mmCIF file of all heavy atoms in Angstrom:
data_model
loop_
_atom_site.group_PDB
_atom_site.id
_atom_site.type_symbol
_atom_site.label_atom_id
_atom_site.label_comp_id
_atom_site.label_asym_id
_atom_site.label_seq_id
_atom_site.Cartn_x
_atom_site.Cartn_y
_atom_site.Cartn_z
ATOM 1 N N ILE A 293 -2.597 6.693 -5.757
ATOM 2 C CA ILE A 293 -2.349 6.844 -4.317
ATOM 3 C C ILE A 293 -0.905 7.209 -4.070
ATOM 4 O O ILE A 293 -0.569 8.030 -3.234
ATOM 5 C CB ILE A 293 -2.831 5.552 -3.609
ATOM 6 C CG1 ILE A 293 -4.364 5.518 -3.697
ATOM 7 C CG2 ILE A 293 -2.404 5.586 -2.152
ATOM 8 C CD1 ILE A 293 -4.963 4.163 -3.373
ATOM 9 N N GLY A 304 16.540 17.324 -5.635
ATOM 10 C CA GLY A 304 17.695 18.237 -5.750
ATOM 11 C C GLY A 304 17.702 18.999 -7.058
ATOM 12 O O GLY A 304 17.216 18.464 -8.051
ATOM 13 N N LEU A 334 0.872 -7.414 -3.560
ATOM 14 C CA LEU A 334 1.654 -7.633 -4.810
ATOM 15 C C LEU A 334 1.097 -6.820 -6.013
ATOM 16 O O LEU A 334 1.776 -6.285 -6.849
ATOM 17 C CB LEU A 334 1.665 -9.099 -5.222
ATOM 18 C CG LEU A 334 2.620 -10.004 -4.421
ATOM 19 C CD1 LEU A 334 2.408 -11.442 -4.797
ATOM 20 C CD2 LEU A 334 4.061 -9.577 -4.575
ATOM 21 N N PRO A 345 11.469 3.543 -10.898
ATOM 22 C CA PRO A 345 12.067 2.252 -11.249
ATOM 23 C C PRO A 345 13.314 1.934 -10.430
ATOM 24 O O PRO A 345 13.783 0.806 -10.437
ATOM 25 C CB PRO A 345 12.398 2.429 -12.752
ATOM 26 C CG PRO A 345 12.230 3.888 -13.028
ATOM 27 C CD PRO A 345 11.387 4.502 -12.005
ATOM 28 N N GLU A 348 13.594 -0.255 -4.484
ATOM 29 C CA GLU A 348 13.772 -1.699 -4.111
ATOM 30 C C GLU A 348 12.453 -2.278 -3.759
ATOM 31 O O GLU A 348 11.653 -1.563 -3.204
ATOM 32 C CB GLU A 348 14.725 -1.772 -2.922
ATOM 33 C CG GLU A 348 16.132 -1.292 -3.159
ATOM 34 C CD GLU A 348 17.031 -1.435 -1.942
ATOM 35 O OE1 GLU A 348 16.690 -2.112 -1.002
ATOM 36 O OE2 GLU A 348 18.072 -0.771 -2.003
ATOM 37 N N ARG A 406 11.564 5.954 8.264
ATOM 38 C CA ARG A 406 10.430 6.638 7.668
ATOM 39 C C ARG A 406 9.591 5.636 6.895
ATOM 40 O O ARG A 406 10.106 5.004 5.992
ATOM 41 C CB ARG A 406 10.900 7.725 6.686
ATOM 42 C CG ARG A 406 10.768 9.107 7.226
ATOM 43 C CD ARG A 406 11.425 10.088 6.316
ATOM 44 N NE ARG A 406 10.590 10.471 5.207
ATOM 45 C CZ ARG A 406 11.074 10.758 3.981
ATOM 46 N NH1 ARG A 406 12.352 10.651 3.700
ATOM 47 N NH2 ARG A 406 10.212 11.180 3.034
ATOM 48 N N PHE A 432 -2.394 6.437 3.526
ATOM 49 C CA PHE A 432 -2.987 6.938 2.300
ATOM 50 C C PHE A 432 -4.014 5.884 1.787
ATOM 51 O O PHE A 432 -3.649 4.746 1.653
ATOM 52 C CB PHE A 432 -1.948 7.184 1.226
ATOM 53 C CG PHE A 432 -0.936 8.251 1.611
ATOM 54 C CD1 PHE A 432 0.152 7.956 2.440
ATOM 55 C CD2 PHE A 432 -1.164 9.582 1.315
ATOM 56 C CE1 PHE A 432 1.006 8.908 2.878
ATOM 57 C CE2 PHE A 432 -0.312 10.616 1.703
ATOM 58 C CZ PHE A 432 0.860 10.245 2.503
#
Side-chain angles (χ1 to χ4, degrees):
I293 292 165
L334 284 174
E348 296 180 13
R406 255 172 84 212
F432 297 85

